[in-house]
Amino acid sequence: EVFTFGTGNDDPRKRLPDVIKCFIKAFPNEKDVRLSIKISNQISQKFTDNRVSFNTQNLTKKQLKDWYCSNDVFVSTVSAEGWGLMQHESMACGRPVIVANYGGLKEFVTIENSFCLRYQEVDDTGCWEFPGSKWSKYDEEHLVETMRYCYHNRDKVKEKGVIASKDACKLSNDVFISNLLNCLGINF
């Protein structure tokens, strides 16, 4: 059975080329593994590895859910997230994430429901650069090891997926507003 890693978003802060590089490094010869990438723009780079596929279509909510469900695990090398919509949506669909538990992701990513990467906090660079700002930089070798672990331990991926879905589905606008009001000390 083919094991599929999903990833998405071609914003430079998401480090999509890093996911592709680590996928190929983790699985140089395996034929039963895929990397499915959801982006909104056409990609100009061509790949000779037919295990890597791109979806650039505008998807309905049902089609997007189906795309998440077609993956076994979602991989994210993002430098920072205010929330992490794709990670949250993947988890809600029962697919755990491989990601550095940093920034807004700490709201819902745990070692119980996801595969948390080692990372270092570094000064931000590039198009989002702001003096004094920090980002995470995932540990590349740990990402490669974690991808291989998921591929070889599919039952563990499914177990974490069940927990991921339960945890992600606990979050709602009402919970967010309640928590925000509570943090601000406002009682309604």
Side-chain angles (χ1 to χ4, degrees):
E1 186 174 326
V2 173
F3 190 88
T4 304
F5 293 90
T7 194
N9 197 321
D10 46 353
D11 177 316
R13 149 181 86 81
K14 308 290 183 166
R15 300 180 177 131
L16 184 57
D18 291 7
V19 175
I20 298 167
K21 176 181 75 172
C22 289
F23 171 81
I24 293 169
K25 186 174 181 179
F27 308 105
N29 300 311
E30 290 80 351
K31 303 290 185 215
D32 61 342
V33 64
R34 302 283 182 272
L35 178 61
S36 177
I37 303 170
K38 175 65 188 107
I39 58 174
S40 33
N41 299 318
Q42 294 294 332
I43 188 150
S44 58
Q45 186 176 1
K46 300 292 181 202
F47 290 90
T48 57
D49 193 327
N50 63 359
R51 301 172 305 161
V52 178
S53 64
F54 291 87
N55 184 330
T56 58
Q57 299 171 324
N58 290 327
L59 302 179
T60 65
K61 286 182 183 181
K62 165 98 173 66
Q63 290 170 324
L64 187 58
K65 178 184 180 242
D66 291 344
W67 178 80
Y68 282 117
C69 290
S70 72
N71 300 317
D72 292 287
V73 67
F74 187 85
V75 183
S76 175
T77 55
V78 67
S79 49
E81 289 282 18
W83 179 256
L85 182 61
M86 291 189 87
Q87 296 89 341
H88 186 207
E89 289 174 339
S90 179
M91 290 171 64
C93 291
R95 303 309 188 258
V97 295
I98 300 172
V99 69
N101 191 1
Y102 183 81
L105 295 167
K106 287 184 175 187
E107 287 294 319
F108 56 91
V109 170
T110 68
I111 59 171
E112 290 81 21
N113 65 27
S114 299
F115 299 92
C116 298
L117 296 174
R118 292 188 296 261
Y119 68 90
Q120 292 182 333
E121 189 174 64
V122 296
D123 293 333
D124 72 353
T125 57
C127 61
W128 297 95
E129 189 173 343
F130 186 77
S133 296
K134 301 290 184 184
W135 274 0
S136 68
K137 175 61 177 133
Y138 70 96
D139 179 310
E140 183 176 310
E141 287 306 313
H142 191 228
L143 173 56
V144 169
E145 290 169 20
T146 303
M147 292 175 86
R148 287 181 184 143
Y149 176 86
C150 290
Y151 171 79
H152 290 293
N153 295 277
R154 298 171 190 205
D155 289 341
K156 291 288 184 191
V157 170
K158 288 178 183 172
E159 287 173 23
K160 283 191 186 259
V162 170
I163 298 166
S165 181
K166 288 178 184 174
D167 290 351
C169 291
K170 290 178 189 174
L171 302 170
S172 68
N173 287 339
D174 291 339
V175 170
F176 170 77
I177 291 167
S178 175
N179 287 341
L180 179 61
L181 292 174
N182 193 23
C183 285
L184 295 173
I186 300 170
N187 294 319
F188 274 94

